[in-house]
Amino acid sequence: MARIIAGVASSHVPAIGAAIDNHRTEEPYWKRVFSGFEKSKEWMAKAKPDVCIAVYNDHASAFSVEFVPTFALGCAAEFPPADEGWGPRPVPVVKGHPELAAHIAQSVILDEFDLTVVNKMEVDHGLTVPLNLLFGSPKEWPCPVIPLAVNVVLYPPPTGHRCFMLGRAIRKAVESYPEDLRVVVFGTGGMSHQISGPRAGLINSKFDKAFLDNLTKDPAKLACMPHVEYMREAGAEGVEMVMWLVMRGALDDKVEEVYRYYTVPASNTAVGHIILENKPRGAGRRPAARKRAAARKAKTVKSPAKRAAALAKPTIIRGR
Ligand SMILES: [Fe+2]
């Protein structure tokens, strides 16, 4: 059975891609940004997922404003880098996983999330920049990647709650796929930024950091946040962060935050990054919690001998 092992959220600032492509990563300005992803690359090299699902938004590269799907799942075998105005980025073609993608499409649509199935699509910096940040710049991406494009460019985008629930549905889909695959879900975009109008350049670090805190500990609170709050607090383009909730919805309720990085600025954007792991399947609670659970169980056992046995036996909570 396939399972989701972790979620990764990362900004996808286009200037980060330009810095990589133009060999400027060692310049002090960019070194600060990239230094925050060194540990992430180490983590990813150890995690070695079999497949990634990348939740991102297209920036009028694959979809013009004539046709903007709310949720579009890439079911093709490959996704070439898009030409965003100065030629396609010199990054590998993204290889998809058509079988798992088709399975997700079927499961999620039958669960009443009306995805658009996309059988041909180019992918822009929204997807390729986070791949660079987590995988570096290899000749080939190390695993298949299923793109899930979310509309956050043309009002109205989906609500955070809808994104969160879609994550839940994706998790159910992945867990019903028969092949034993380890899957990592990416949420991309954000953090606070506004690229035009009187508030251009807006950064709200307090909001961003609270968002990261809640993403780990209280995602249900974030799922209730209306669009206007994202836009007021994090700028018009800050609404991209609803995509992080797809990733978070695909994880366990309780997760382990294994890494976080936040820096300002990259271009005119705050950069945020977090790695959340699901507990391994079958893993027990921490020793103290296990003891408390055993004590609670022992209280309900009347026989002293059985009570002692219950206390001696660890209580294992199965992972989902
Ligand atoms: Fe974006």
Side-chain angles (χ1 to χ4, degrees), residues 155-179:
Y155 199 83
T159 63
H161 182 255
R162 188 67 170 162
C163 289
F164 189 74
M165 296 310 289
L166 176 60
R168 287 269 187 266
I170 289 172
R171 169 192 172 139
K172 180 181 163 194
V174 168
E175 292 186 346
S176 62
Y177 190 71
E179 195 180 341

Side-chain angles (χ1 to χ4, degrees), residues 8 10-22 25 33-42 44-45 52 54 81 84 88-94 123-142 145 186 188 273:
V8 172
S10 168
S11 303
H12 61 212
V13 187
I16 293 178
I20 295 168
D21 301 345
N22 294 303
T25 57
V33 175
F34 290 105
S35 67
F37 290 85
E38 288 306 316
K39 282 193 167 59
S40 320
K41 284 191 275 192
E42 288 170 19
M44 187 58 97
C52 289
E84 299 180 59
R89 290 196 61 216
V91 293
V93 168
V94 172
V123 289
D124 69 13
H125 71 272
L127 185 139
T128 58
V129 164
L131 293 188
N132 281 132
L133 291 171
L134 272 292
F135 292 119
S137 299
K139 284 190 178 164
E140 299 290 338
W141 300 120
V145 177
F186 279 62
T188 76
H273 168 47

